C-alpha cells in the first residue's frame, strides 16, 4: 500500500492538471476574441459546415430507385425553409428530420 504522502502528492498533481486543463481554454480564448480571423470564421464557418453536412447526408441518395430522392429533397427544402423563416437551427433540424422520417416510413415506405 502506498504511503499517505505519495497519495496526497498524486491527488495534488491530478487536481493541478485538471484545473489547468479547464482554465487554459479561457486564457487562450481571451486574446482571440478581438481577432479578425476569428470574426471571419465566426461569420462564414456555420454556412460551410452546413454545406458539408448536406453533401455528406445526400451522398448516397440514389435517383434510380422508385422514390428518386424525393423524400431527401423535400426534407432538405423544409429544413432550409424553416431555418430562413425562424432562424432557429434546432427547430429547422427537428422539422427536417421529422419530415424525412414521416416520408420514409409512411409515404414512400
Amino acid at each position: 500500500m502506498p504511503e499517505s504522502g505519495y497519495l496526497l502528492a498524486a491527488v495534488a498533481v491530478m487536481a493541478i492538471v485538471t484545473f489547468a486543463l479547464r482554465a487554459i481554454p479561457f486564457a487562450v480564448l481571451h486574446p482571440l476574441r478581438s481577432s479578425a480571423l476569428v470574426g471571419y470564421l465566426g461569420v462564414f464557418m456555420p454556412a460551410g459546415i452546413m454545406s458539408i453536412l448536406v453533401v455528406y447526408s445526400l451522398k448516397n441518395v440514389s435517383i434510380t430507385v422508385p422514390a428518386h430522392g424525393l423524400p431527401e429533397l423535400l426534407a432538405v427544402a423544409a429544413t432550409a425553409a424553416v431555418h430562413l423563416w425562424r432562424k432557429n437551427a434546432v427547430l429547422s433540424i427537428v422539422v427536417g428530420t421529422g419530415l424525412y422520417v414521416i416520408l420514409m416510413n409512411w409515404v414512400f415506405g
Side-chain angles (χ1 to χ4, degrees), residues 32-41:
L32 291 177
R33 292 188 196 274
S34 61
S35 168
L37 176 64
V38 172
Y40 175 81
L41 291 176

Side-chain angles (χ1 to χ4, degrees), residues 50-61:
M50 288 305 291
S51 300
I52 291 169
L53 287 172
V54 168
V55 169
Y56 178 77
S57 298
L58 299 177
K59 72 177 182 169
N60 291 327
V61 173

Side-chain angles (χ1 to χ4, degrees), residues 48-89:
I49 291 171
M50 288 305 291
S51 300
I52 291 169
L53 287 172
V54 168
V55 169
Y56 178 77
S57 298
L58 299 177
K59 72 177 182 169
N60 291 327
V61 173
S62 176
I63 59 171
T64 60
V65 296
H68 304 292
L70 192 57
E72 292 84 0
L73 180 65
L74 292 173
V76 168
T79 303
V82 170
H83 188 71
L84 291 173
W85 173 50
R86 300 297 293 177
K87 304 279 192 264
N88 186 333

